Structures are given as structure tokens and as C-alpha cells.
Amino acid sequence: MNILRIVYTKKRLSLKYKNKEVYKLNINFGLPTKIVMGKDCVQSNGDLFSSFGKRAMLVTGRNSAKLNGSQADVIKVLEARDIAYVVYDEVQSNPSIDCVRMGAIFAKKEKVDFIIAIGGGSPIDAGKAIAILAKNDITDDELFNAGYSNNLLPVIAIPTTAGTGTEVTQYSILTNDKAKTKTGIASPYIFPKVAVLDAKYMTTLSKVVTVNTAIDALSHSIEGMLSIKANVMTNLIAKESIKNIVGCFENLVSGDIDYVVREKLLYASMLGGIVIAHTGTTAVHSMGYSLTYFKHIDHGRANGILLGDFLKLVNKEKPDVVNDILGTMDFKDIDEFKEIITKLLGEKEDISAEEFKAYSQIAIKAKNIANCSVVPTEKDLYDIYMSSFK
Ligand code: NAP
Ligand code: FE
């Protein structure tokens, strides 16, 4: 008889099935962000916007929030509640420190009470950093190393891509020219207060951005399972996220991406955000940052190209974890996974061995490296770059 046994040890509670340990029930889980999702949920949750003050600053990219209807919906809700607003629409992809410092000067001058960040990961991450800088007079080093008080502007996040999950994370990723890479701010104070998710804003997304962002979300959920901080709850959420994304692969390949597919991707991306809020990301993200910084490769695309070969490295020491991930995706092996990713992402960029050597030296210093359940060496990173771009 296969008995599911609960075993109490001095260290922790674990579950055994067929005498094999399946779960480590040591959990640390929580999320301070309220999540609302559904068609027209900005309008139907308008009162949420009144609870943060009388003056709002909308933080957006240059164009998309104006084109996909999200900015207009938010403005209608604010006007109906006599909330004044200003718009900072200067955020470009992979926002720089200068961009968020300018936003913070604007927020201070306009004496805003809260931020409504609308867009892909770039405007939402910029909104979070502005929320810190508008209230704290600090250096760049202090910004990246939590050298500030918890007196920040509250942030409402409205994602219009389905990839980063930043609407439910404590991270803001900025382009850091001093370190020649992208550097993350990680602070429990910058979790958005509310995440408002409506897939109708994504119907204007191009196929390329849809694919790249979906792969970013997939990467978050897979990396979450490869993190030393993974636990039974994060794995549960990661698997739900992975299944939803892989379930959309055929549509992503064909370009037949309707509202239902968009909603699934948005849901899966938010779940991926909840995962990395608890587990952090791993070497895949550290390595991807150089590809974005030096070669302008989209964030999700960069992760997707590297993911298969990182799985191969982990597979050498932890085949159970990798098999669990492959089983969730319904792929027989890593090569089958790499094949579909290549189909989705197309031809790879031409990058030299010398460049990969330099990127490996940068990536090995990133905080996420120590977060991997199989910690790679600098040589491993170089090998992953080389085989990923073969
Ligand atoms: P993005 O840089 O925010 O946006 C990419 C492009 O998509 C922009 O040109 C944008 O135009 C456009 N766009 C956005 N929404 C659109 C829509 N609904 N319709 C048409 N076009 C639209 O891309 P992203 O991949 O979402 O975010 C990437 C950033 O997030 C990176 O900096 C990455 O490091 C970061 N990230 C953060 C976390 C986190 O937890 N904080 C996690 C992963 C990644 P506009 O510029 O005109 O808006
Ligand atoms: Fe990411």
C-alpha cells in the first residue's frame, strides 16, 4: 500500500510518499498587494483609487497607454472622484536611473499623493523607483541597497504586457550604467498596494512583444522552481503559471492570439510574479541582463534563449526538479523544450566568445547566482551562453 506519511523531524515537517520525501513543509508566504482582475476592472474598482489621496501621478511609456485605452479609463475614474492628476510619460524600455530621478523631481514639484503606473514592466518598475525617490533624498547606492525609510508614495500598478509580474513584486529593475548591467531594487516597501489586471489593454500588443513577455513569465515560474527559496506553495503557483503559458504556445507560434489567450497569459504572468516575489530569480536573469544591456535583446527573449541550457546544468545534479518542470510542461526532455522555444524566438543573435566571457564575469557577481539550487561557476555561465547561442 502506498501510504502518504507525515514525518515530524526536529528540523521540519515533511511529507513522504512511497518512502520518498516529496514536500518540505517549511513555508514563508504572504503578499501585501490587493489583486483585481477582469474585463473593465478599472471602472468596476474605481473606489480603490480614492483611498490613496487627492493628487495622482500617472507613470507611463511614451505611447502604448494612450493607444490601448488604459490611460483614458484611469482618467475617467479619477475625474469622477475629483482626484487631480499629472502624467509622466517619459519612461522608455529598461528605464535608467536618470529617468526615475526626473520622474521623482516631477512628483515632488506636483506634490502628488500616489502613483498609478500603467504599462509594461518598464513604467511599473519606474513608478516604484519614483515612489522611493520622491520621498527620500538618497544616492544611487542607497537606492539599490535599501538605504531609505518606509515613507514612500503608494503605487497602483496596471500591467499592459503579460510577462514581468512586477504588479505583484517588490522589485524594480533599472539600467545601471555604472555597473554596466541592470540592477534590481528589492524592498518590501515597493510592493504595489493594488494590481489591476484587464487583458483588454493587451489587444494592441505586437506578436513579438507578446511572445517575449510570455517567455519572461515562463522563466519566472521555472526559475522559481530552481531557486533555493522554492517551497510547496510557490511550486504550486509556478506549475499553474507554467501550464497556462505552455497551453498558449500553439497560439503564440501561429499568432492566433485572442482575448481568452491574452487573459490566460496575464493571469500566468501575475502568478509568476507571486512566485519570484518569494523565490527571487536565478542565473538566467543575471545572464540575461548583459544581453539586454550590451545587445539590446528584449528581456524575455534573453531569458528564453538561456533557459534550456541552464536546465541542462541543473539536470546534472537535480534531475528530479527538472523532470518535475518538464512533466508540468508535458515535454519529454530539455531538447524538446529548446526546440519550441527556438520556434517561438526565431534566429539568434551573433555574439562572440570574447563577449560571452565578459558577460560571464559580470553575471557571476549578481545576487541571483547564490539563489540557484545548483550554483553555477563562471565557467558554467560561459558554457551556457555558448551553447544557448549555437
Ligand atoms: P516594456 O519595456 O515595459 O515595454 C515593451 C514595449 O511594449 C514598449 O515599446 C511599450 O510601449 C510596449 N507596450 C506595452 N504595453 C503595450 C500594449 N498594451 N500595447 C502595445 N504596446 C505595448 O516591456 P516589458 O517586457 O513588460 O518590461 C520589461 C522590463 O521589466 C525590463 O526592464 C525588465 O528588467 C523588467 N522586469 C521587472 C520585473 C520585476 O519584478 N520588477 C520582473 C521581470 C522583468 P510604450 O513604451 O509606449 O509603453
Ligand atoms: Fe523577468
Side-chain angles (χ1 to χ4, degrees), residues 34 36 40-54 56 73-83 114 116 154 156 158 193-196:
K34 179 178 178 62
V36 293
D40 300 323
C41 63
V42 168
Q43 291 93 321
S44 53
N45 290 281
D47 287 343
L48 284 177
F49 291 75
S50 337
S51 42
F52 299 106
K54 285 313 252 177
D73 281 355
V74 167
I75 288 173
K76 237 184 261 163
V77 160
L78 297 179
E79 286 178 346
R81 287 162 182 78
D82 282 330
I83 301 172
F114 66 109
I116 304 172
I156 296 177
I158 306 180
K193 299 288 180 222
V194 188
V196 187

Side-chain angles (χ1 to χ4, degrees), residues 150-311:
N150 64 355
N151 173 30
L152 313 182
L153 295 177
V155 175
I156 296 177
I158 306 180
T160 66
T161 62
T164 70
T166 179
E167 68 274 12
V168 290
T169 75
Q170 70 279 44
Y171 310 124
S172 162
I173 317 289
L174 301 178
T175 297
N176 182 354
D177 288 315
K178 206 166 125 197
K180 289 206 177 311
T181 185
K182 298 180 71 181
T183 306
I185 303 169
S187 160
Y189 307 150
I190 59 170
F191 271 109
K193 299 288 180 222
V194 188
V196 187
L197 291 83
D198 188 339
K200 77 177 181 188
Y201 302 135
M202 290 165 43
T203 49
T204 47
L205 267 180
S206 68
K207 183 184 169 208
V208 172
V209 178
T210 306
V211 169
N212 289 344
T213 46
I215 300 296
D216 187 27
L218 180 69
S219 193
H220 294 159
S221 294
I222 291 180
E223 287 179 69
M225 292 180 72
L226 302 175
S227 158
I228 50 169
K229 297 188 198 124
N231 68 47
V232 56
M233 284 185 71
T234 58
N235 281 348
L236 193 74
I237 297 169
K239 287 181 182 181
E240 170 74 355
S241 164
I242 291 168
K243 278 185 198 155
N244 271 279
I245 297 166
V246 174
C248 296
F249 269 4
E250 263 183 40
N251 304 80
L252 292 173
V253 170
S254 69
D256 176 19
I257 305 165
D258 61 12
Y259 181 80
V260 175
V261 172
R262 297 245 176 243
E263 207 164 41
K264 272 191 199 165
L265 293 172
L266 187 57
Y267 168 60
S269 152
M270 177 267 289
L271 295 180
I274 295 176
V275 172
I276 58 167
H278 293 87
T279 63
T281 54
T282 65
V284 176
H285 267 65
S286 328
M287 295 173 74
Y289 291 151
S290 281
L291 299 175
T292 302
Y293 187 86
F294 292 105
K295 295 288 168 184
H296 309 291
I297 298 178
D298 267 7
H299 173 67
R301 176 180 169 78
N303 296 335
I305 292 173
L306 300 164
L307 205 43
D309 284 282
F310 184 60
L311 281 172

